């Protein structure tokens, strides 16, 4: 996907503050952080959203989650963190390349949703 911003970051065409990279997975700092720790973890494969996940994506998504957990620990989120995957219009997804947000920091996260 040549016009996908996260594919372009994965190819090195657009700079990002990378934290981790292997053949299948890339992690970088969110450009507009909303918490002291705000990391994005993506499969390099262009999957538009979580709604498009197929059984064959299970291995790479397993790697994405494992990398996310490792980076959260390394960034100091030893007392917990929040992982968010926004999906589609209702989920207010802005970038249509599947990504996991990792949000953390000392007691900065509000309750997930108001009841
Ligand atoms: P979402 O609403 O889940 O699609 O979130 C997309 C996220 O991507 C937002 O938090 C943006 O701040 C972030 N973002 C957009 N462009 C870039 C970029 N070039 N580098 C890093 N993060 C970005
Ligand atoms: Zn993409």
């Amino acid at each position: 996907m040549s016009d996908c911003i996260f594919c372009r970051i994965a190819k090195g065409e657009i700079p990002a503050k990378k934290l981790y990279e292997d053949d299948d997975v890339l992690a970088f700092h969110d450009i507009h952080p909303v918490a002291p720790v705000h990391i994005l973890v993506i499969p390099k494969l262009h999957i538009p959203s979580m709604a498009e996940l197929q059984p064959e994506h299970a291995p790479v998504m397993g790697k994405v989650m494992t990398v996310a957990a490792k980076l959260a620990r390394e960034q100091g989120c030893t007392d917990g963190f929040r992982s968010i995957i926004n999906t589609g219009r209702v989920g207010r997804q802005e970038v249509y390349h599947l990504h996991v947000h990792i949000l953390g920091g000392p007691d900065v996260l509000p309750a997930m949703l108001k009841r």
Side-chain angles (χ1 to χ4, degrees), residues 1 4 6-7 46 97:
M1 286 287 287
C4 167
F6 287 177
C7 281
H46 181 82
H97 180 129

Side-chain angles (χ1 to χ4, degrees), residues 53-63:
L53 276 180
Q54 300 297 326
E56 60 266 30
H57 298 136
V60 71
M61 291 310 297
K63 287 188 74 172

